[in-house]
Amino acid sequence: MIRLLDLTLEQLRTQVQAWGEPVFRADQLWHWLYARQANDPAAMSNLPRTLQARIATDATIEPLKPVAQTASADLLAHKVLFQLRDGQTVEAVLMLYDRRRTLCISTQAGCAMGCTFCATGLAGLARNLTAGEIAAQVLYFARWLGDPEAGGTNSLPIMRPAQVTNVVLMGMGEPLANYRAVWQALYTLTDAQGFGLGARHFTLSTVGLAPMIERMAGESLQVNLAVSLHAPSDELRNRLVPINRRYPLAVLLAACRAYTERTHRRLSFEYALMRGINDRQEHAQRLALITKGMLCHVNLIPLNPVRGSAYQPSTKADTEAFLDTLQQAGISSTLRLRRGVDINAGCGQLRQQVQSRDGAG
Ligand code: SAH
Ligand code: SF4
């Protein structure tokens, strides 16, 4: 069975020719899959019946089945749990804030990095997603936003049809540990003949796999980079983000500098504030010290409390004092608003909830 969304345009051309069709049919099919987000060959009206039938018998399109859905009370965040062909589950969230329609998607079923404050990390890695499984999450929501008739249990508080404006790779998984599939999906989704969302509207978030950050600097797409820092010293980061033992701060920050020097693009550091753990004045001062002079922005994030983890979010006063210290030190920084908390919009949390409800987790 050929999985169409796992193919590059080149591979699709080869496949279409192997089916005895002229090569331009592949470009038409690509347009149906990504520009029109079609997942039924019968709807691809300018393809010959023979090719529609071939696709129906030899290929599959849709790799995802939505199996659970929740919306925040204000209906501005919608989270869907998808089941993949082999039964694995991943989640994605659509957020309707700041006149944007931002999608947060997953790149792995689970994650091997084991960050101690993360619901996904607590459960370990099941497997990498394929390029098609990554792209399909975006296509699913694009269809939903684009269809004024689309029902579902939650109506969206926006005018439809609408389009996805931003995509962040901040769902389950470590994107740079699944490098090839992630970048194939990015090249596919940014292709102007297909989905065509500009690279600058994508943000890849990484735990800090230093060699892969340097590799990413050589890609031709201008995707934004976010690095999950969470601690300003090796001693603390080793405890929160265990991969820090392999790529300690000096190595990570050197890779970040190499990245900004090569790309001339500002990166962001993510820092989830945890009460009494990494939110003291000494941490803020040290964070300012290690990021000083870098082409970067610091995003402070309120921690989403995770079941099975002892970490708590910082108080409002500590959060404000932390931000103030960074800004006084001249570090470009902002506090990200607390959003979607009531639907457990944090990474891996819907899956955790569904699995324990089903008695599986
Ligand atoms: N693996 C990548 C991307 C997925 S996690 C990474 O770690 O960057 C996306 C973001 O959510 C990361 O910044 C991660 O540190 C953060 N995160 C994980 N668990 C969280 C929690 N309980 N509260 C707030 N942020 C969390
Ligand atoms: Fe993996 Fe990111 Fe969670 Fe760490 S924070 S366990 S890298 S998904």
Side-chain angles (χ1 to χ4, degrees):
M1 208 37 103
I2 293 141
R3 299 170 172 191
L4 289 185
L5 298 183
D6 283 341
L7 304 183
T8 63
L9 179 55
E10 271 317 302
Q11 290 168 331
L12 196 61
R13 288 181 178 141
T14 308
Q15 182 57 56
V16 161
Q17 286 172 296
W19 279 331
E21 300 282 347
V23 70
F24 77 92
R25 295 292 182 200
D27 296 75
Q28 289 180 317
L29 178 52
W30 183 261
H31 190 263
W32 279 111
L33 293 173
Y34 297 104
R36 307 287 300 272
Q37 297 108 37
N39 57 5
D40 175 8
M44 302 177 179
S45 51
N46 62 354
L47 298 188
R49 287 273 158 76
T50 47
L51 182 54
Q52 289 180 357
R54 270 293 199 166
I55 296 170
T57 54
D58 295 6
T60 63
I61 299 176
E62 188 57 67
L64 308 174
K65 195 169 79 182
V67 290
Q69 187 183 321
T70 48
S72 57
D74 58 11
L75 291 185
L76 293 178
H78 294 255
K79 180 160 180 160
V80 175
L81 183 73
F82 292 110
Q83 188 168 62
L84 309 176
R85 293 185 179 104
D86 63 353
Q88 291 296 334
T89 51
V90 295
E91 34 184 75
V93 188
L94 171 67
M95 291 164 288
L96 308 167
Y97 301 104
D98 308 330
R99 310 181 66 205
R100 291 181 180 187
R101 289 169 295 277
T102 302
L103 263 184
C104 174
I105 61 169
S106 295
T107 56
Q108 298 183 303
C111 182
M113 300 298 145
C115 302
T116 49
F117 52 87
C118 171
T120 305
L122 293 177
L125 175 69
R127 68 167 170 88
N128 280 334
L129 299 195
T130 68
E133 289 167 338
I134 297 167
Q137 298 167 60
V138 178
L139 300 178
Y140 174 88
F141 281 101
R143 235 172 257 139
W144 200 30
L145 284 168
D147 180 4
E149 305 292 314
T153 49
N154 304 297
S155 51
L156 300 179
I158 52 164
M159 293 288 283
R160 286 188 284 176
Q163 275 162 8
V164 174
T165 60
N166 299 79
V167 176
V168 298
L169 280 58
M170 293 191 184
M172 297 165 61
E174 166 50 40
L176 296 186
N178 184 15
Y179 195 95
R180 274 178 52 135
V182 163
W183 280 90
Q184 186 185 322
L186 289 171
Y187 281 103
T188 294
L189 291 168
T190 52
D191 182 84
Q193 306 309 314
F195 191 70
L197 184 62
R200 285 188 176 83
H201 299 263
F202 288 81
T203 301
L204 184 154
S205 175
T206 176
V207 70
L209 305 185
M212 294 297 139
I213 290 175
E214 296 196 39
R215 180 171 170 193
M216 186 176 156
E219 298 288 347
S220 59
L221 292 179
Q222 312 239 314
V223 167
N224 299 303
L225 173 63
V227 176
S228 300
L229 209 54
H230 305 313
S233 70
D234 283 322
E235 184 271 310
L236 180 57
R237 196 162 189 270
N238 284 345
R239 283 198 277 139
L240 301 176
V241 181
I243 197 69
N244 190 69
R245 292 171 203 271
R246 176 127 30 113
Y247 306 114
L249 282 172
V251 173
L252 173 58
L253 295 176
C256 291
R257 278 193 202 92
Y259 174 90
T260 56
E261 271 160 30
R262 177 147 180 207
T263 62
H264 306 290
R265 291 206 303 274
R266 186 171 84 155
L267 55 76
S268 57
F269 288 116
E270 309 285 297
Y271 195 103
L273 287 166
M274 305 174 215
R275 192 186 306 170
I277 304 285
N278 66 355
D279 67 349
R280 310 286 90 197
Q281 278 303 303
E282 72 207 52
H283 298 123
Q285 281 155 7
R286 190 159 171 82
L287 179 60
L289 198 69
I290 65 172
T291 56
K292 189 93 200 161
M294 289 183 75
L295 187 55
C296 71
H297 178 84
V298 175
N299 259 327
L300 299 179
I301 312 167
L303 184 78
N304 269 309
V306 169
R307 217 160 11 87
S309 147
Y311 303 118
Q312 291 302 316
S314 299
T315 63
K316 191 161 179 278
D318 285 345
T319 302
E320 280 164 8
F322 198 99
L323 182 63
D324 194 50
T325 300
L326 289 181
Q327 290 179 341
Q328 292 292 327
I331 305 296
S332 159
S333 46
T334 41
L335 174 65
R336 193 188 288 163
L337 295 178
R338 202 173 168 72
R339 286 166 169 170
V341 204
D342 57 332
I343 59 161
N344 291 330
C347 153
Q349 293 181 330
L350 178 64
R351 185 177 72 149
Q352 190 186 50
Q353 192 184 325
V354 169
Q355 282 182 341
S356 59
R357 194 175 68 204
D358 297 346

